[in-house]
Amino acid sequence: MRVVTLAGGTGAAKLLRGLAACVPQRDLTVIGNTGDDTEIWGLHVSPDLDTVIYALAGTLDAERGWGLADETFQCLRAMAAYGADTWFNLGDRDLATHLTRTRALRDGQSLSLVTARLAAALGVAARILPMSDDPVRTMIRTPGGRLTFQEYFVREKALVDVVGVDYEGATAAQPAPGVLDAIRTADLVVVCPSNPVTSVGPILAVPGIVDALSATAAPVVGVSPIVGGAAVRGPAAALMRTRGLPISPLGVASAYRPWLRRLLIDRSDLACVTELERLGVQTDLAEIVMKSREHETELARRVLERR
Ligand code: GDP
């Protein structure tokens, strides 16, 4: 069974680990968000792609949800001594990923090619595709000016007001090789529990991807990142508000209409079921907050059943 997923970072990583426990990794394709890609110390960092690769390689730091387990930060401290910005935590071993990616891009390789190489080198058999090889940058409009997503999320800790979100470069971007084909030929498409505005939104902004999702014969199934009127973690609620989306599974379903067929929601959101079905989205009540590996696998099993 070919399972194709749309994925951001931390929320996606958990469900992907669960899916990889249920289906062989080689049957899994991840279409990853590159809207949060950024340049730090001259290095090209792709936070969401790396989170996904590390999760599937079994090396993601489980507590933090980003970076490598058992990481050290000697280089970061040394950079601070030179007066460099250190609000973005780059770990010592993590640096090897960014150095390898940056050198390959500088040599003219595409982001998809270097992403595939990094994943393979770390023993990841799943196909990891960036949404696009072209630069798309999620920009957060605040009363004080525009910020990149990492400036907003990591440096400002998502504490500033948001008035809008733009996907710079999206209209001119093309889906990376294999993205549209993967969606068209999938047996199941899974929208991971990721931020609908800043993780899945940039993927959907790449021309052709929404059309492929609408045209595929595969059911498209989502897991809500919103539980009981709030994000499980992170700024999804504030960002959804700027889009006029209700902070509930209904807002998630509205962002993914009309191609979303089924949405897994938390039992505490039972009150949304009637309205969701009215929107044409089948609803499944489940334990969707993943607190353990067993939980991740159990939720993945629910996603895979009843296709
Ligand atoms: P980011 O790039 O690190 O922000 O990663 P994502 O967009 O993939 O993940 C953030 C989203 O995942 C947030 O909206 C969270 O509410 C959601 N999330 C995190 N953990 C869980 C979980 O265990 N279950 C569900 N349903 N959502 C989660």
Side-chain angles (χ1 to χ4, degrees), residues 43-44 96-118:
L43 302 176
H44 183 110
T97 303
H98 313 311
L99 286 164
T100 304
R101 174 186 293 119
T102 305
R103 188 169 63 177
L105 292 173
R106 238 169 243 166
D107 288 346
Q109 275 183 35
S110 65
L111 183 61
S112 9
L113 191 61
V114 64
T115 302
R117 274 182 44 215
L118 290 167

Side-chain angles (χ1 to χ4, degrees), residues 55-193:
L56 290 173
T59 55
L60 186 73
D61 186 285
E63 287 283 293
R64 288 194 305 259
W66 54 266
L68 291 160
D70 305 319
E71 184 60 289
T72 54
F73 293 88
Q74 302 277 6
C75 182
L76 190 78
R77 281 192 281 276
M79 290 298 281
Y82 285 132
D85 275 340
T86 52
W87 53 264
F88 197 86
N89 295 292
L90 290 185
D92 296 331
R93 284 185 304 130
D94 189 32
L95 273 172
T97 303
H98 313 311
L99 286 164
T100 304
R101 174 186 293 119
T102 305
R103 188 169 63 177
L105 292 173
R106 238 169 243 166
D107 288 346
Q109 275 183 35
S110 65
L111 183 61
S112 9
L113 191 61
V114 64
T115 302
R117 274 182 44 215
L118 290 167
L122 296 181
V124 173
R127 194 152 68 122
I128 316 292
L129 302 175
M131 64 194 202
S132 176
D133 282 335
D134 303 317
V136 177
R137 294 294 169 264
T138 300
M139 299 300 297
I140 309 294
R141 271 183 277 132
T142 76
R146 273 158 44 98
L147 302 175
T148 65
F149 180 75
Q150 300 306 337
E151 286 169 340
Y152 163 73
F153 186 58
V154 182
R155 194 186 70 198
E156 303 300 327
K157 301 183 171 50
L159 293 172
V160 289
D161 287 339
V162 179
V163 289
V165 177
D166 305 310
Y167 309 120
E168 217 170 74
T171 49
Q174 289 190 2
V179 165
L180 297 183
D181 226 43
I183 296 171
R184 285 196 203 110
T185 59
D187 295 309
L188 178 72
V189 177
V190 180
V191 187
C192 291

